Amino acid sequence: MVEGTLSAWSVRRRESPPDLRFAPIVLPIAFAMEQRQNPRPEALGPRPQARYTPPPMARAPLVSLRDVRLQDGPLPLFDGVDLAIEPGQHACLVGRNGAGKSTLMKLVMGLIEPDSGERAVQAGARFAYVPQEPDIVGPTLRDHAVSGGADPWMADQWLETFGLDPAKSATRLSGGETRRADLARAFAEQPDLLLLDEPTNHLDILAIETLEDELKAARFAVLMVSHDRTFLERTTKRCFWLENRRVRTLDKGFKAFDEWAAKVTEEEAESLRRLTKEIERETYTFYRSITAQRTRNEGRARRLEALRQDRAKRVADLPREIQLGVDAGPSSGKLVAELKGVSKTFLGVTSDESRVAREDPTSQSAPGATASDSPLATRHSSLPARTILKPFSTRIMRGDRLAIVGPNGAGKTTLVRLLLGELEADTGSIRLGANLAPVYLDQSRDELRSDMTLWDALTPGGGDSILVRGQSKHVAAYAKDFLFKESQLRQPVSTLSGGERNRLLLARALAKPANLLVLDEPTNDLDMETLDRLEDLLEEYDGTLILVSHDRDFIDRLATSTIALDGRGNAVETPGGWTDFVAQNPGFLSGESRVTSDEKKMPTPVPASLATRHSPLATPKKLSYKDARRLDEAERELETLPASIEALEAALADPALYTSDRNRFDKLSADLDAARAKLETAEADWLRLEEMKAALAT
């Protein structure tokens, strides 16, 4: 019947037999015409109708850039950038320091205009932006959170999610509090597209994990710039690579980026090699036949010049690599530092204020002064004492690589100063090794004044040379090793990006011979390439290394042991990096990145009409998203861990195991201890959360 209908239609149209490619369009029309001419008997029922289903179409992007160009002084910063962000898409923007990632995000936001090209925005699309260095507005955190137009109840909910009191004063905030406050503001605005520029800077690991969970649950689109590999691997599904003034796109998460980028780089290197060979062949041919084929050689000369220009452009675009080096200097004694029963308490200072006192040199009377000596302590002497470190013992030997982790304000910097002998302990003893030559890289960047030029920062004593690991080197040559241009040497430090300032601090620190490197958040604002080079350098470093970092991948690659502080004075040391610490001490840091329910004020009731707009926060009488997730996780662990423990115990019961395979015996023993500890933590968390759930339901 279909063929007859198509044939009849074809005859009526006086056309050749129909092209079946158009059947999806023709078929419904033909059926309708036949039904009108030959009505179907009612007894047979209605004739089935053929339906044309169009192919799925791509979703219109929220914002797109097409052939965007932007000049940065005499050189182009972007030369034909194409980029599109679709609704619900979670993408990262990757590139070297100075490539223009922050500038590109501002172009996407519409904060700056390109020199040429198009920016198209979906009608009604809402944007929210968290810059590298947020500015807090208003007298309280609630005032800042509603400054973008968010509902007050929504702002309060998000501030509490990120562990902040909405009524807290917006003055004298730490870096971590500033970051969390601006994240709360951005989330509360319920944007269609959220742009995050280095969102993990100054956040502790637990706050980063909170941010990860909220991003994974978010339905809006996200474009983020970050140096944190683990963070990007857990939150992204697409990668934009800003390289050589253009953007390449990978429709996969960051886990696949390194392999893809290496392949692209290899292909471009091969293309450059072939171009060089072609230039060599053309040059040989040109000069060999220059007299015999003059007319023909004019065209050959133009082609040869074009090839040379193409190669020169490609070579100029090749990124320079940072030149890092460090001298371990004279060998220290075998013992670097030893703490026995050391404790530290700050009197009369709250946790936030004590952190500010440590990070702000103006809040302390002198170097090495304790928090109790600060004006804050005097002002708040009536407040109860806060224990930073309960009696704790550790020993650091030459060549050790120690990582220190914990929530913001837990006392990481205090512990470092105790290890360096800059602080006196309340109890216990501190013994330092002989012949120590430490270098301390401070995350606060207080050494860099805003009016200081890059030249002044590299040569604090004046002159045009710098002593680099015992040898004199011109300041311009040394700055070039850290990817600074000669034109930047007279620029004020305030004009440098965050990554450039961190490179400058590295340049200052690594110039000095040091057998003890203390690096406090060294990865902030660094691009991936520089971070990889720094890791390679530290892996080969012969001295002793102390790391304070929130970068989980960085810790896993470098640390041989990890000390964790929970913010309540407890400390635990675990062999290995972050992954080993979490496996052997489950739950040790749980919940410390957020304010507990006892410390929070009850949230403002949510209007019923708006209850569905933000489901994770819309019902204050239920467990929070994090608590509910942990309750489900604890229930699963209570079901599975007993069987795992039983299996491990059965394997260890083999009397021949210890003698036949000592390594396996040690591993099984460690796994058993970790499983038992995890089960104990799961039981405690389950009881606590079930009680909380029951209390909220009443």
Side-chain angles (χ1 to χ4, degrees):
M1 182 178 295
V2 174
E3 293 178 356
T5 301
L6 289 174
S7 299
W9 178 83
S10 175
V11 171
R12 286 194 296 271
R13 295 290 296 173
R14 297 182 179 180
E15 295 177 357
S16 58
D19 189 343
L20 295 181
R21 291 177 299 173
F22 300 98
I25 300 173
V26 173
L27 192 60
I29 301 173
F31 269 119
M33 293 174 62
E34 185 181 18
Q35 191 168 9
R36 286 197 301 268
Q37 297 172 4
N38 303 299
R40 188 174 178 86
E42 295 182 1
L44 298 179
R47 183 183 301 276
Q49 297 292 311
R51 296 183 179 272
Y52 169 65
T53 304
M57 300 182 64
R59 302 175 71 181
L62 288 169
V63 59
S64 63
L65 304 179
R66 184 178 178 182
D67 197 26
V68 165
R69 302 172 190 273
L70 184 67
Q71 205 73 11
D72 181 24
L75 300 174
L77 185 61
F78 305 131
D79 190 11
V81 164
D82 296 316
L83 184 145
I85 303 173
E86 300 166 2
Q89 181 185 99
H90 289 188
C92 61
L93 177 60
V94 183
R96 295 173 176 261
N97 288 143
K101 300 187 296 294
S102 296
T103 303
L104 185 57
M105 296 189 81
K106 292 177 181 178
L107 277 171
V108 172
M109 277 288 296
L111 299 177
I112 58 177
E113 292 290 330
D115 296 333
S116 64
E118 298 179 359
R119 175 180 178 266
V121 181
Q122 192 178 109
R126 297 171 298 174
F127 296 76
Y129 177 44
V130 178
Q132 278 192 34
E133 299 183 3
D135 292 324
I136 305 299
V137 299
T140 67
L141 296 184
R142 179 183 290 113
D143 294 320
H144 175 71
V146 301
S147 61
D151 294 326
W153 64 266
M154 183 70 73
D156 286 358
Q157 293 277 7
W158 277 112
L159 285 168
E160 292 171 1
T161 296
F162 286 106
L164 298 171
D165 182 1
K168 179 179 174 63
S169 172
T171 59
R172 301 189 64 82
L173 297 175
S174 67
E177 288 171 325
T178 301
R179 179 70 56 182
R180 285 182 284 150
D182 211 46
L183 286 169
R185 172 197 57 77
F187 275 83
E189 292 174 12
Q190 301 183 88
D192 298 301
L193 172 61
L194 174 61
L195 295 99
L196 304 174
D197 196 351
E198 295 290 358
T200 65
N201 279 358
H202 307 296
L203 295 185
D204 58 51
I205 294 177
L206 291 175
I208 293 173
E209 290 179 344
T210 298
L211 177 59
E212 288 173 351
D213 291 340
E214 297 298 344
L215 288 175
K216 286 188 281 188
R219 296 184 178 181
F220 49 73
V222 184
L223 178 64
M224 61 195 86
V225 173
S226 179
H227 64 274
D228 192 322
R229 292 178 178 272
T230 304
F231 174 76
L232 293 180
E233 288 176 0
R234 294 183 177 182
T235 57
T236 60
K237 299 294 184 183
R238 178 173 291 184
C239 298
F240 297 113
W241 185 19
L242 179 58
E243 185 79 355
N244 295 337
R245 301 182 297 277
R246 296 175 181 267
V247 170
R248 297 182 177 91
T249 302
L250 172 67
D251 289 324
K252 295 180 180 179
F254 185 76
K255 283 185 178 180
F257 174 79
D258 284 335
E259 182 179 353
W260 171 72
K263 184 178 179 180
V264 171
T265 303
E266 184 179 346
E267 291 173 351
E268 291 186 343
E270 176 63 19
S271 175
L272 181 61
R273 186 189 67 80
R274 292 177 180 177
L275 177 61
T276 303
K277 287 290 186 183
E278 186 176 359
I279 291 175
E280 291 174 356
R281 288 194 302 268
E282 284 291 318
T283 303
Y284 175 78
T285 304
F286 178 78
Y287 284 105
R288 187 178 180 184
S289 59
I290 190 169
T291 56
Q293 303 177 7
R294 184 167 301 276
T295 302
R296 185 175 164 186
N297 278 336
E298 289 178 0
R300 189 179 290 273
R302 289 192 295 270
R303 182 172 181 273
L304 180 59
E305 181 61 24
L307 290 174
R308 287 172 172 169
Q309 291 179 2
D310 185 19
R311 185 184 183 279
K313 184 179 179 181
R314 294 194 194 186
V315 172
D317 288 339
L318 290 176
R320 294 183 294 131
E321 291 188 351
I322 190 170
Q323 303 298 316
L324 297 180
V326 61
D327 184 3
S331 180
S332 67
K334 189 174 182 180
L335 175 70
V336 174
E338 184 179 39
L339 274 59
K340 289 185 177 180
V342 168
S343 67
K344 188 65 183 177
T345 299
F346 289 149
L347 300 175
V349 184
T350 64
S351 65
D352 290 337
E353 291 169 331
S354 64
R355 180 167 63 254
V356 172
R358 293 192 302 276
E359 295 177 354
D360 184 2
T362 62
S363 67
Q364 297 181 355
S365 58
T370 66
S372 61
D373 301 323
S374 72
L376 288 172
T378 304
R379 201 181 319 140
H380 298 277
S381 58
S382 61
L383 296 175
R386 178 173 181 261
T387 300
I388 299 297
L389 184 66
K390 296 177 182 179
F392 175 70
S393 301
T394 187
R395 177 182 294 176
I396 302 175
M397 308 302 291
R398 185 177 62 224
D400 284 352
R401 284 157 164 71
L402 174 68
I404 302 176
V405 301
N408 288 337
K412 301 185 293 294
T413 303
T414 298
L415 179 57
V416 168
R417 297 179 66 190
L418 287 168
L419 289 169
L420 296 178
E422 296 180 2
L423 278 181
E424 293 185 4
D426 296 337
T427 64
S429 63
I430 302 174
R431 183 160 68 100
L432 300 180
N435 202 29
L436 289 181
V439 167
Y440 187 17
L441 179 64
D442 187 6
Q443 65 160 323
S444 64
R445 302 171 181 171
D446 292 325
E447 301 176 19
L448 303 178
R449 300 191 319 272
S450 59
D451 60 340
M452 179 188 291
T453 66
L454 194 149
W455 187 297
D456 297 333
L458 291 175
T459 56
D464 58 1
S465 62
I466 181 174
L467 196 63
V468 181
R469 298 181 287 277
Q471 299 198 2
S472 181
K473 192 170 186 177
H474 194 274
V475 63
Y478 187 59
K480 189 176 180 180
D481 290 343
F482 287 83
L483 308 184
F484 292 110
K485 304 173 184 176
E486 189 170 352
S487 59
Q488 292 179 286
L489 291 174
R490 298 299 181 183
Q491 285 184 214
V493 169
S494 58
T495 63
L496 301 178
S497 68
E500 289 172 330
R501 285 186 231 180
N502 215 9
R503 290 208 308 269
L504 179 57
L505 286 174
L506 282 173
R508 285 163 56 102
L510 299 181
K512 309 171 186 175
N515 52 35
L516 173 59
L517 273 179
V518 183
L519 306 180
D520 193 350
E521 299 292 2
T523 66
N524 281 352
D525 299 312
L526 293 182
D527 57 46
M528 301 292 182
E529 291 81 1
T530 303
L531 188 53
D532 287 341
R533 294 299 301 271
L534 180 61
E535 288 175 353
D536 294 340
L537 172 72
L538 297 178
E539 283 179 349
E540 300 173 358
Y541 178 56
D542 293 331
T544 306
L545 182 64
I546 299 177
L547 295 172
V548 180
S549 180
H550 63 261
D551 192 320
R552 293 152 292 183
D553 183 75
F554 189 71
I555 294 172
D556 277 339
R557 293 189 185 192
L558 293 175
T560 57
S561 65
T562 301
I563 295 177
L565 307 174
D566 67 353
R568 300 183 295 269
N570 302 309
V572 63
E573 185 170 7
T574 305
W578 169 256
T579 303
D580 298 303
F581 159 74
V582 172
Q584 298 179 50
N585 302 276
F588 182 78
L589 301 177
S590 294
E592 293 307 307
S593 67
R594 298 176 295 279
V595 179
T596 64
S597 57
D598 295 335
E599 297 171 334
K600 297 178 184 178
K601 295 182 179 180
M602 290 300 295
T604 305
V606 179
S609 61
L610 302 175
T612 60
R613 289 177 57 184
H614 192 65
S615 56
L617 302 173
T619 52
K621 291 189 176 182
K622 295 182 180 179
L623 290 175
S624 67
Y625 172 78
K626 297 297 182 298
D627 288 338
R629 184 168 173 267
R630 175 55 187 157
L631 180 60
D632 292 339
E633 185 181 327
E635 289 176 348
R636 291 194 298 270
E637 290 173 349
L638 291 174
E639 293 176 359
T640 59
L641 283 174
S644 301
I645 292 172
E646 185 177 349
L648 290 169
E649 289 175 341
L652 288 169
D654 182 4
L657 179 62
Y658 183 83
T659 55
S660 63
D661 194 345
R662 176 67 183 276
N663 291 335
R664 186 167 182 267
F665 177 85
D666 292 340
K667 185 179 184 305
L668 291 176
S669 299
D671 291 344
L672 180 59
D673 292 339
R676 286 171 173 169
K678 193 172 183 179
L679 179 61
E680 183 178 351
T681 302
E683 290 173 346
D685 288 349
W686 184 85
L687 288 171
R688 174 177 61 82
L689 293 171
E690 280 291 340
E691 291 176 356
M692 185 185 301
K693 184 179 179 181
L696 290 172
T698 59

